[in-house]
């Protein structure tokens, strides 16, 4: 079980981990060990997620979320597999926790009258400036 919050836990069978060879430093040893972790979590078909959280996660335009609704996280920051595995799980936890908080609704506001007048005055000045750029009158 991956504990996201006191009321939300993800069962292990919903997490798919694949281990692959990481790039970067490590010498000759890096070519032999599969220390990088690719963690896949099917957001669309998860039974553990509440419907509102699932909708918030899918509404995000995250490049790690593919068209099938599967989140793909790659962790290759560390040299050993165990630390990369815990890093990927921690990033998944943080990603889901961020969706647990409902976004604050936006209140519609009106601009102050002085701001509107400043904007209109600057538009008038710009219009005068552009009008002055024209060709001079032929009869003058």
């Amino acid at each position: 079980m991956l504990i996201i919050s006191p009321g939300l836990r993800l069962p292990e069978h919903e997490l798919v981990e694949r281990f692959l060879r990481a790039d970067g430093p490590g010498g000759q040893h890096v070519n032999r060990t599969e220390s990088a972790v690719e963690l896949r979590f099917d957001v669309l078909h998860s039974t553990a997620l509440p419907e509102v959280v699932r909708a918030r996660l899918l509404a995000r335009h995250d490049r790690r979320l593919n068209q099938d609704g599967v989140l793909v996280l790659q962790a290759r920051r560390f040299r050993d597999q165990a630390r990369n595995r815990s890093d990927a799980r921690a990033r998944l936890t943080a990603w889901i926790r961020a969706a647990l908080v409902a976004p604050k609704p936006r209140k519609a506001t009106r601009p102050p009258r002085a701001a509107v007048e400043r904007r209109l005055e600057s538009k008038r000045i710009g219009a005068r400036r552009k009008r002055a750029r024209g060709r001079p009158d032929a009869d003058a």
Side-chain angles (χ1 to χ4, degrees), residues 13-123:
H13 66 85
E14 289 192 3
L15 303 176
V16 178
E17 291 176 329
R18 199 179 96 191
F19 302 103
L20 40 122
R21 291 190 181 133
D23 52 359
Q28 294 173 343
H29 188 63
V30 78
N31 299 326
R32 297 167 175 256
T33 58
E34 295 185 339
S35 59
V37 178
E38 182 181 86
L39 179 68
R40 291 176 169 267
F41 174 61
D42 192 352
V43 178
L44 190 62
H45 299 106
S46 175
T47 57
L49 290 176
E51 197 58 43
V52 290
V53 175
R54 176 182 296 116
R56 280 186 212 134
L57 290 173
L58 291 173
R60 287 183 177 182
H61 297 293
D62 197 321
R63 60 183 170 81
R64 299 170 298 183
L65 194 63
N66 66 20
Q67 299 216 341
D68 301 327
V70 178
L71 177 75
V72 182
L73 291 173
Q74 288 191 349
R76 52 180 48 165
R77 194 172 8 169
F78 303 105
R79 287 190 183 190
D80 58 309
Q81 191 181 81
R83 286 175 69 187
N84 280 331
R85 187 170 183 248
S86 63
D87 180 42
R89 287 171 173 252
R91 285 170 38 204
L92 174 66
T93 303
W95 192 71
I96 295 174
R97 275 190 189 147
L100 290 175
V101 180
K104 192 171 81 172
R106 182 190 178 279
K107 288 184 186 175
T109 60
R110 290 180 57 196
R113 186 185 307 160
V116 171
E117 288 175 7
R118 278 193 308 267
R119 182 179 65 85
L120 293 175
E121 181 59 29
S122 72
K123 288 178 70 156

